[in-house]
Amino acid sequence: MNDSVLLVIAHGSRDPRHAATVHTLVRAVGVLRPGLRVETAFLDFNVPSVPAVLERLVAEGVREVVALPLLLTRAFHAKADIPAVLREAPPSLRVRQAEVLGPSPLLLAAVERRLYEAGLTPADKGSTGVVLASAGSTDPEAIAVIAETARELRRTGWCAVRPAFASASLPRTEDAVRALRADGVRRVAVAPYVIAPGRLPDRIAEGAAGADVLADVLGPSPELARLLVERYDEALGAERRPVAFTA
């Protein structure tokens, strides 16, 4: 067992559903990797904060932490906020920052899981267009990753996939739904490409009013939990180990 603690860093939200979902996901990671100590911290709105957790870990004798941003793309939080707060870690603590979660085939699998849970089946792919609705960003790299993720999802067999954004970028979810309708798509599904509930996911849901299917957020899906373990292993330079999970 590696002694490195996995510190999952979430954005935080005033919506209590956000923190509850993050904690459920972190518990799922613990089930996948017994013996791995997993801690949770938030950048804003929720406690504990990142500095508070780091100070507590040092007081308990921890010497190495893998800090994993609970983010789907490399935008401002991953490039600036998280590195800044980690630079203030106690000097006796070695901190490795893991990569953000996306892109990854496991995220595509989690999106499809939520679409199937919402009532679709693999047989519906050929007649269903999907709006891949993310929170949005002003970072061109993040926008490009979302666009490429939409293309990768399209390659799995859906008749059309359009990216959409709840803020900062265009098109909005409702505009993408209308565009798919205008293209003659028979059935339209909205797949929120977000981890936890909150204000922006609620905005995505409002924009999905004209769709036939609205999937749930990614949440504590088995694929997402498995991806956190993968990013932990990669940060340590470890060989990827197969992780069993229940579908």
Side-chain angles (χ1 to χ4, degrees):
M1 182 184 72
N2 196 290
D3 292 331
S4 295
V5 172
L6 172 57
L7 175 60
V8 178
I9 303 177
H11 180 273
S13 171
R14 292 186 178 90
D15 189 320
R17 296 174 298 168
H18 175 92
T21 300
V22 171
H23 289 305
T24 301
L25 173 60
V26 168
R27 286 193 294 271
V29 172
V31 172
L32 281 179
R33 181 62 63 81
L36 171 62
R37 179 174 177 181
V38 190
E39 297 281 345
T40 308
F42 298 90
L43 287 175
D44 206 355
F45 302 118
N46 302 103
V47 293
S49 67
V50 178
V53 174
L54 294 177
E55 292 284 355
R56 173 168 55 80
L57 291 175
V58 168
E60 294 174 6
V62 173
R63 291 293 172 260
E64 184 172 86
V65 167
V66 172
L68 197 164
L70 195 62
L71 302 168
L72 298 176
T73 60
R74 270 181 48 80
F76 185 79
H77 294 305
K79 293 177 178 179
D81 287 346
I82 291 177
V85 74
L86 293 179
R87 281 195 293 270
E88 301 302 316
S92 63
L93 188 65
R94 181 181 184 186
V95 180
R96 305 170 187 252
Q97 182 174 335
E99 290 296 327
V100 297
L101 300 179
S104 169
L106 286 169
L107 290 173
L108 296 179
V111 168
E112 290 200 316
R113 171 187 290 274
R114 296 306 188 217
L115 287 167
Y116 297 150
E117 289 172 349
L120 296 173
T121 70
D124 295 320
K125 281 188 170 185
S127 60
T128 303
V130 177
V131 175
L132 187 72
S134 74
S137 174
T138 58
D139 188 299
E141 179 185 350
I143 297 302
V145 168
I146 297 298
E148 178 57 28
T149 300
R151 288 190 288 270
E152 288 295 325
L153 186 61
R154 168 70 180 83
R155 293 183 188 111
T156 68
W158 302 95
C159 77
V161 179
R162 285 179 175 264
F165 307 93
S167 69
S169 314
L170 294 174
R172 296 287 183 258
T173 303
E174 54 268 32
D175 299 327
V177 170
R178 282 193 291 267
L180 287 173
R181 296 283 191 208
D183 289 343
V185 174
R186 284 174 42 197
R187 183 189 295 108
V188 176
V190 172
Y193 193 62
V194 292
I195 293 173
R199 178 176 57 87
L200 294 180
D202 284 348
R203 191 177 294 174
I204 290 171
E206 292 167 5
D212 302 293
V213 175
L214 172 61
D216 201 356
V217 300
L218 301 179
S221 63
E223 296 84 1
L224 198 55
R226 182 178 173 185
L227 181 54
L228 265 65
V229 174
E230 275 197 8
R231 292 291 184 256
Y232 170 82
D233 285 343
E234 291 166 357
L236 291 175
E239 237 183 275
R240 292 187 186 182
R241 287 171 282 179
V243 180
F245 64 94
T246 304

